[in-house]
Amino acid sequence: MAAAVGRICGARLLQKYGIVAPQICQLSTNAQAWTKSRKLWLTTLGVGAGGVGALLFALEQSVQASGTEAHPYHQPWSHNGWFQSLDHASIRRGYEVYKQVCKACHSLQYIAYRNLVNVSHTEEEAKAEAAEVMIKDGPDEEGNYFERPGKLSDYFPSPYPNENAARAANNGAYPPDLSLIVSGRKGGEDYIFALLTGYMEAPAGVILREGQNYNPYFPGGAISMAQVLFDEAAEYTDGTPATASQLAKDVATFLRWCSEPELDDRRLMTIKAIGIFSFLAAIVYYYKRHKWSTMKSRKLAYKAVSKK
């Protein structure tokens, strides 16, 4: 026991002393106990990591500035922030815009009709939406393929049977799938909104091929998709005025939801996790203070008995 205490406290109790002054056990893990070389190494590591981070940030900014396309403005979306949910009424209106305008060329191959349930539609409404499309299914018992009305488990069908048919119908351009378009484009929904509302006449010196249009937010400026959103280009069932900017805002919100259908659930789980872990952290801190209070306030003094 004396040897163990001596190793911990550095009191050297196993040596012979005449009269030993009280010795205090000091167990310290603060920065004062670090060696000079360790401090130098940690300082160098921190400075190096900060320099690399600053360099990467500067390179990213320079690459963005070197592009020829315009940078979209950041819009005040209602779902900005860690604890803000998506506007579900806007999601429903955005689905109506997609159904009436975008569906003619673009697919949503990773979104099923069941995903609309309790988000923008009731279960019965989602079933009715699915039943409006015909899904190729089969083979049947005779080996033939057939078409049937859609079900909730079906995914949104593509407007074209294959990529070649899509290119042939769009002057060689392939309309991208919109399921992950917001996550796949820098700027997200800001880019979608700016692209849909940013069509203009080509400036002097910009040559466009037949079938192309000018949009400063598209890389290169020349885009094969014509402007599709105008005032009253779609009709809302809730009576919202269908201006071009309103249509673009709603379809951008809808596509934001398509990219992350679990966004609201994830943010709700974040709020729950913060509350639970904050409560647990308070309990653990109190228990630690209670458990170590006697150890932290203890003062050990040892005095050897001199032989007479």
Side-chain angles (χ1 to χ4, degrees):
M1 178 65 182
V5 175
R7 286 194 299 270
I8 296 175
C9 302
R12 303 180 181 178
L13 294 180
L14 298 183
Q15 298 185 8
K16 294 182 179 180
Y17 291 89
I19 298 178
V20 180
Q23 301 182 24
I24 307 302
C25 177
Q26 296 181 355
L27 301 178
S28 177
T29 59
N30 56 21
Q32 296 178 356
W34 292 358
T35 62
K36 184 179 296 185
S37 60
R38 185 178 182 185
K39 290 182 180 179
L40 180 61
W41 182 82
L42 290 176
T43 302
T44 304
L45 181 62
V47 172
V52 171
L55 177 62
L56 292 176
F57 177 79
L59 290 176
E60 182 186 9
Q61 297 300 317
S62 64
V63 169
Q64 293 181 16
S66 64
T68 58
E69 67 276 8
H71 301 294
Y73 291 100
H74 181 65
Q75 304 295 334
W77 302 100
S78 60
H79 53 268
N80 284 339
W82 290 0
F83 307 114
Q84 303 295 327
S85 65
L86 291 166
D87 184 353
H88 287 230
S90 182
I91 294 176
R92 183 184 180 104
R93 292 194 300 267
Y95 167 76
E96 294 174 352
V97 177
Y98 169 79
K99 178 181 176 182
Q100 299 177 40
V101 181
C102 310
K103 185 179 178 181
C105 299
H106 296 276
S107 61
L108 283 175
Q109 60 178 337
Y110 298 116
I111 300 298
Y113 286 96
R114 64 171 178 266
N115 297 128
L116 300 175
V117 178
N118 295 330
V119 175
S120 59
H121 296 72
T122 64
E123 183 175 351
E124 295 302 323
E125 290 174 337
K127 287 181 178 179
E129 292 290 332
E132 291 180 4
V133 299
M134 300 302 293
I135 304 297
K136 185 178 181 180
D137 202 351
D140 56 13
E141 296 179 354
E142 299 179 354
N144 299 320
Y145 287 89
F146 58 93
E147 290 187 346
R148 58 166 178 80
K151 301 181 295 185
L152 286 179
S153 58
D154 293 321
Y155 287 82
F156 282 66
S158 174
Y160 304 104
N162 51 63
E163 181 177 344
N164 291 337
R167 291 186 181 276
N170 293 276
N171 296 324
Y174 180 57
D177 181 80
L178 299 182
S179 302
L180 304 174
I181 194 71
V182 171
S183 297
R185 296 293 186 272
K186 187 173 182 60
E189 54 268 48
D190 291 324
Y191 168 78
I192 301 298
F193 180 85
L195 183 72
L196 293 175
T197 58
Y199 285 87
M200 62 179 60
E201 293 293 331
V206 177
I207 301 176
L208 300 176
R209 294 182 297 179
E210 183 181 358
Q212 290 186 332
N213 304 273
Y214 181 76
N215 193 313
Y217 297 99
F218 189 77
I223 183 172
S224 296
M225 183 180 75
Q227 183 175 1
V228 293
L229 295 186
F230 303 91
D231 293 344
E232 305 299 333
E235 183 178 355
Y236 289 136
T237 56
D238 62 357
T240 301
T243 62
S245 58
Q246 182 68 47
L247 297 172
K249 178 256 184 184
D250 290 333
V251 76
T253 303
F254 172 69
L255 295 179
R256 178 71 170 91
W257 170 79
C258 290
S259 295
E260 294 180 276
E262 77 290 346
L263 180 64
D264 285 349
D265 293 335
R266 189 172 68 243
R267 288 181 175 176
L268 181 60
M269 186 61 66
T270 300
I271 297 175
K272 293 180 180 179
I274 290 176
I276 293 174
F277 283 111
S278 299
F279 180 71
L280 292 178
I283 294 177
V284 171
Y285 178 74
Y286 175 80
Y287 180 76
K288 178 258 183 186
R289 295 278 295 180
H290 173 74
K291 193 70 175 177
W292 285 84
S293 60
T294 56
M295 301 295 295
K296 293 271 187 178
S297 60
R298 178 179 296 182
K299 181 177 181 180
L300 302 177
Y302 302 95
K303 184 176 181 181
V305 178
S306 61
K307 294 182 179 180
K308 295 183 179 178

